[in-house]
Amino acid sequence: MTATHAFWLAGRQATGETTFDVTSPWDGHLVGQVSVPTEAQVEEAVAAAHAVVDEFAATPAHVRAAALDHVSKRLAERTEEIARLITAENGKPLKWARGEVGRAVSVFRFAAEEARRFNGGEAQRLDTDAGGTGRLALTRRFPKGVVLGIAPFNFPLNLCAHKVAPAIAVGAPIILKPAPATPISALIIGELLAETDLPAGSWSVLPVPNDRMPALVQDERLPVISFTGSDKVGYAIQQSVPHKHCTLELGGNAAAVVLADWSSEEDLDWAATRIATFSNYQGGQSCISVQRVIADASVYDRLVPKIVAAVEAQGTGDPTDEATEVGPLVSEDAAKRVEAWVDEAVKGGAALLTGGKREGATYAPTVLADLPTDVTLACEEVFGPVLTLHKVDGEAAAFAEVNNSKFGLQTGVFTHDLQTAFRAHRALEVGGVIIGDVPSYRADQMPYGGVKQSGVGREGVAYAMDDYTYERVLVLTGLAL
């Protein structure tokens, strides 16, 4: 690892005139310096991507698939190195960082597989009416143009992979803007792409500061925007460019519902362990971490002490320690915000069952009960290791409580009943319903995204490929069908 990290401009390394420091949220040590592209270099990258649109769309599938396979294999070979880099710049404990690298390996592999079978075309006979006699429609998908991928800090490798891999799979050039707090992981992707035979202008990784993002968003040569981040920023982007195609993966305050039939000691132990783990993994900095537990009154009193004990058993501390489950938040300011929200809730009458303490950028895993409905924690995404408990009477009340939110990303429902599972699937206003587990489960090949203020569009490799492309029909005439 060099002291100063170059960025990737149209497939080659480049440096700008200034740098910024990337520091560890755990102990503040310097992880590395990153070079910042000048405005002229950003213009060069965008112009190169725009110029190669047609060439890249026509690139043979085997070339794109081979490049994606290469990145997948190289990520796997460098898993430990990259995991330690993620831990250093993000504060994510090593066990979760290794898992993130493994997921990125899969994302590029899935994209390679999809690239090989993408766009086979769908034939449709048009002679179902007399006017279509002898006519056949062939529908294929074509890239909408250059993709601007804007990635967050919480999954600095895998969420970059979810922007880059589908774009390459369909032959759409991409400009990737990583989060300023965690750009070095994204630059690794550039390093591996540079080892492939992709057209030089087909990808760039540009660590520009956030205040320069609006100019990229407004650029007419970037017709597709894929953004993962806060709802406030995401909808501001969408409103500023209503004529562009925007995929927005935004926030949530995900619920885990524990229903009356999930009642044995083994059931409740499992639910408590999963809830405790996935309300706190990565410091709670996941859009689908468990923020709310909605439990039927018949199991609530038995479940609560199990959850509290499981939360208190979470190992906190140095993220490079193999035993650490919960590390720091991305910054001390982020931890202070969580602290302020919890303090507000407690002053408003919430019962603090465990946690509630901050040390630097680390906030202790926290459980609250009796949350007032008018406090920030009740309606916003905490994005920290905080869990709130809610008692309800019956399935209908539980599902109503889930839907009593401006967000709708994913929900976990602990039930054994298949009919209940289907009712949950129909009733819950979310993008995904996970039965028998927490809402934090995500397979990178499945459709992932939300409703309401959790965003628009879907990620998951094949679904993002659809998002980056449009259907174009070819009608053939005079055929003997």
Side-chain angles (χ1 to χ4, degrees):
M1 186 185 301
T2 57
T4 300
H5 297 268
F7 51 86
W8 294 92
L9 193 168
R12 71 178 194 279
Q13 279 193 311
T15 55
E17 298 171 354
T18 60
T19 63
F20 65 93
D21 292 343
V22 177
T23 58
S24 164
W26 168 245
D27 59 12
H29 79 266
L30 180 66
V31 178
Q33 289 185 321
V34 174
S35 186
V36 181
T38 65
E39 290 186 6
Q41 289 171 320
V42 172
E43 166 59 28
E44 182 182 349
V46 174
H50 182 67
V52 81
V53 164
D54 292 340
E55 176 190 348
F56 195 33
T59 301
H62 72 87
V63 173
R64 288 178 273 118
L68 293 162
D69 271 331
H70 175 83
V71 175
S72 177
K73 292 172 183 175
R74 294 285 285 128
L75 286 172
E77 290 169 0
R78 297 173 61 178
T79 292
E80 189 64 18
E81 170 203 348
I82 297 171
R84 290 186 177 275
L85 171 59
I86 291 171
T87 296
E89 66 174 351
N90 172 278
K92 183 177 299 191
L94 267 175
K95 66 172 290 184
W96 299 114
R98 292 187 185 111
E100 179 174 351
V101 179
R103 290 179 61 188
V105 169
S106 295
V107 167
F108 278 97
R109 188 182 73 250
F110 294 151
E113 295 166 355
E114 293 293 344
R116 291 185 174 97
R117 58 177 168 254
F118 178 70
N119 224 353
E122 178 182 342
Q124 180 183 16
R125 292 180 66 135
L126 300 180
D127 60 355
T128 50
D129 282 330
T133 299
R135 296 180 187 266
L136 182 76
L138 179 66
T139 303
R140 297 165 60 201
R141 302 191 70 89
F142 293 85
K144 293 173 180 174
V146 184
V147 177
L148 172 60
I150 305 170
F153 69 81
N154 56 327
F155 288 87
L157 181 73
N158 194 44
L159 291 184
C160 288
H162 271 285
K163 311 298 182 191
V164 173
I168 292 173
V170 301
I174 182 163
I175 304 289
L176 177 67
K177 182 208 169 300
T182 57
I184 305 177
S185 300
L187 296 174
I188 292 287
I189 294 177
E191 182 180 334
L192 303 183
L193 287 172
E195 298 171 353
T196 73
D197 295 325
L198 295 176
S202 61
W203 59 273
S204 293
V205 183
L206 304 180
V208 297
N210 286 340
D211 61 5
R212 290 171 58 189
M213 187 171 68
L216 279 169
V217 167
Q218 293 291 333
D219 197 305
E220 294 296 331
R221 295 166 295 179
L222 308 176
V224 179
I225 298 173
S226 178
F227 171 84
T228 302
S230 74
D231 57 315
K232 179 180 178 181
V233 175
Y235 285 118
I237 289 172
Q238 185 186 53
Q239 290 165 12
S240 72
V241 286
H243 58 293
K244 292 193 177 189
H245 179 87
C246 294
T247 297
L248 305 177
E249 298 298 340
L250 308 178
N253 55 0
V257 177
V258 184
L259 294 176
D261 70 306
W262 199 270
S263 58
S264 71
E265 292 302 313
E266 293 79 10
D267 284 344
L268 296 179
D269 285 343
W270 163 257
T273 299
R274 297 293 285 176
I275 288 166
T277 298
F278 288 97
S279 64
N280 295 293
Y281 81 126
Q282 303 170 154
Q285 296 170 122
S286 169
C287 297
I288 46 177
S289 66
V290 185
Q291 183 168 331
R292 299 181 288 161
V293 173
I294 300 167
D296 190 86
S298 64
V299 298
Y300 183 88
D301 290 339
R302 293 163 56 211
L303 178 63
V304 168
K306 292 177 183 290
I307 289 176
V308 172
V311 167
E312 290 177 343
Q314 295 286 301
T316 62
D318 184 347
T320 64
D321 188 329
E322 298 286 353
T324 297
E325 297 275 350
V326 186
L329 276 69
V330 73
S331 69
E332 186 169 357
D333 284 345
K336 287 180 177 178
R337 178 190 55 76
V338 173
E339 179 181 42
W341 288 15
V342 172
D343 289 349
E344 176 200 21
V346 172
K347 288 176 184 177
L352 179 65
L353 303 186
T354 191
K357 298 177 181 179
R358 180 183 66 83
E359 184 176 346
T362 300
Y363 196 79
T366 297
V367 181
L368 298 166
D370 306 320
L371 189 71
T373 59
D374 59 348
V375 298
T376 308
L377 264 176
C379 53
E380 299 293 340
E381 178 182 31
V382 65
F383 224 60
V386 178
L387 185 63
T388 63
L389 308 179
H390 308 262
K391 183 191 294 186
V392 295
D393 288 313
E395 175 191 307
F399 292 172
E401 184 63 26
V402 171
N403 292 340
N404 184 27
S405 171
K406 67 180 182 179
F407 296 110
L409 193 48
Q410 292 196 165
T411 298
V413 180
F414 288 89
T415 181
H416 295 291
D417 188 81
L418 185 60
Q419 294 293 342
T420 300
F422 275 90
R423 286 196 296 271
H425 196 203
R426 182 173 60 248
L428 297 177
E429 298 165 355
V430 294
V433 179
I434 314 300
I435 300 298
D437 205 350
V438 290
S440 316
Y441 176 80
R442 178 183 179 183
D444 291 285
Q445 70 270 39
M446 78 184 197
Y448 174 79
V451 297
K452 299 193 279 190
Q453 291 189 34
S454 286
V456 293
R458 291 294 180 268
E459 288 192 340
V461 176
Y463 303 91
M465 289 168 67
D466 282 347
D467 246 10
Y468 292 171
T469 56
Y470 69 97
E471 293 175 320
R472 185 188 300 167
V473 65
L474 174 72
V475 177
L476 303 173
T477 305
L479 300 178
L481 298 175

